[in-house]
Amino acid sequence: MSIPAEHGSQTVESVRRALAARLGDVSGDDAELDARLLVGAALGLDLTGMVTGARRALTMDEADRVEALAQRRLAGEPVARILGIKEFWGLPLHLSAATLVPRPDTETVVERALELLRADNAAERALRIADLGTGSGAILLALLSELPNAHGFATDISAEALETARRNAAELGLAGRTTWVQCDYASGLTGTFDLIVSNPPYIPSADIAGLDIEVRAHDPRTALDGGANGLDAYRALISQSAGLLASGGFLVVEVGQGQSGDVEALMTASGLSPTGPPKADLGGIPRAVSARRPPR
């Protein structure tokens, strides 16, 4: 049910609890968190403000603002889309209609890339890193936050996505170490790179209609659709990357469930050497596939 007409009888805490109960079906285990985030956004309150103002009565306008956000969530819109921001690798990232919502699974790509660089004693070097199809900039900005001497090149075919990533880099103080290139994957890049990363579209076209509404109705289709078998993007970016990697350089990509073997085969066919088994995400799914250009 929606917030009662007697808005003055509703406190910050009672509205939060009522909203959490309403969100049970759509948010599941995250219902309490989603309710806190939505009420906080509607009222302009952080966690401290929610606690200290828990007994404050809402005005009619405030209750209406909470209800407007509640209706969007109940219709299946992700909280990150409603708020326009999502945390990734501890970094707050703005979103737009042209970008995916960054997901925890993608942090596996960052983890694998850092593992490879640190094992190679390269983390302190002046690295050149490319993020192909950067979207919000999540992977690249996470890496730059960990690699103080690296410079990143972010590509995306969408000008809107690049503008979103540029804004995120500026607000994180990383704009001075990023270059933006509007192109399809690596087609507009020149020079060589020590590390290339990507989270390309990998959902088979026929599977998109069966995705959760949060994804199929709110993430850009171009960032999801990987063609008939989900491998179209890998065929393009792996062959492009193989010619751009420096001697000993690494390529790390995110893959979907069941795709790791096919992607490794594409890497091998392009002259790259897999760097061990894929790194699994927290759900145990092989998620980050990596390979290296053999050192010369």
Side-chain angles (χ1 to χ4, degrees), residues 80-291:
R81 291 282 180 205
I82 297 171
L83 302 182
I85 198 163
K86 176 71 173 179
E87 185 175 286
F88 180 87
W89 202 258
L91 307 174
L93 300 176
H94 294 280
L95 308 176
S96 68
T99 67
L100 289 172
V101 175
R103 294 174 174 81
D105 292 344
T106 302
E107 293 188 352
T108 311
V109 174
V110 179
E111 292 168 356
R112 169 52 62 88
L114 292 173
E115 288 169 359
L116 293 170
L117 292 174
R118 287 165 179 163
D120 206 40
N121 295 315
E124 300 301 319
R125 287 170 37 206
L127 302 168
R128 280 168 53 95
I129 302 172
D131 180 11
L132 312 182
T134 194
S136 64
I139 298 175
L140 183 63
L141 298 177
L143 288 168
L144 292 180
S145 74
E146 298 283 349
L147 303 167
N149 298 313
H151 187 94
F153 294 75
T155 78
D156 207 289
I157 200 167
S158 165
E160 182 182 356
L162 283 178
E163 184 56 37
T164 303
R166 184 182 287 111
R167 176 186 180 186
N168 286 326
E171 295 195 6
L172 294 170
L174 297 169
R177 292 198 283 131
T178 45
T179 298
W180 314 97
V181 182
Q182 186 176 359
C183 67
D184 192 22
Y185 301 117
S187 62
L189 296 179
T190 57
T192 59
F193 296 86
D194 304 287
L195 171 66
I196 298 177
V197 293
S198 184
N199 175 21
Y202 54 72
I203 307 297
S205 303
D207 293 351
I208 291 178
L211 297 175
D212 288 344
I213 190 172
E214 293 189 7
V215 177
R216 71 173 188 269
H218 298 283
D219 278 338
R221 187 180 178 103
T222 54
L224 299 172
D225 194 338
N229 61 2
L231 299 175
D232 285 2
Y234 299 107
R235 294 190 183 96
L237 74 86
I238 289 173
S239 61
Q240 292 172 358
S241 297
L244 291 169
L245 283 174
S247 175
F250 299 103
L251 171 64
V252 186
V253 299
E254 179 172 333
V255 300
Q257 188 168 8
Q259 294 177 326
S260 59
D262 290 329
V263 172
E264 283 185 336
L266 290 171
M267 290 176 168
T268 300
S270 292
L272 304 178
S273 301
T275 57
K279 186 176 182 65
D281 61 24
L282 292 176
I285 296 172
R287 188 65 66 183
V289 175
S290 57

Side-chain angles (χ1 to χ4, degrees), residues 19-54:
L19 180 55
R22 294 169 65 197
L23 294 180
D25 288 342
V26 68
S27 295
D29 292 340
D30 291 328
E32 289 284 345
L33 174 61
D34 287 359
R36 178 173 65 77
L37 292 173
L38 293 175
V39 173
L43 304 182
L45 298 174
D46 59 14
L47 178 58
T48 300
M50 293 275 289
V51 173
T52 58

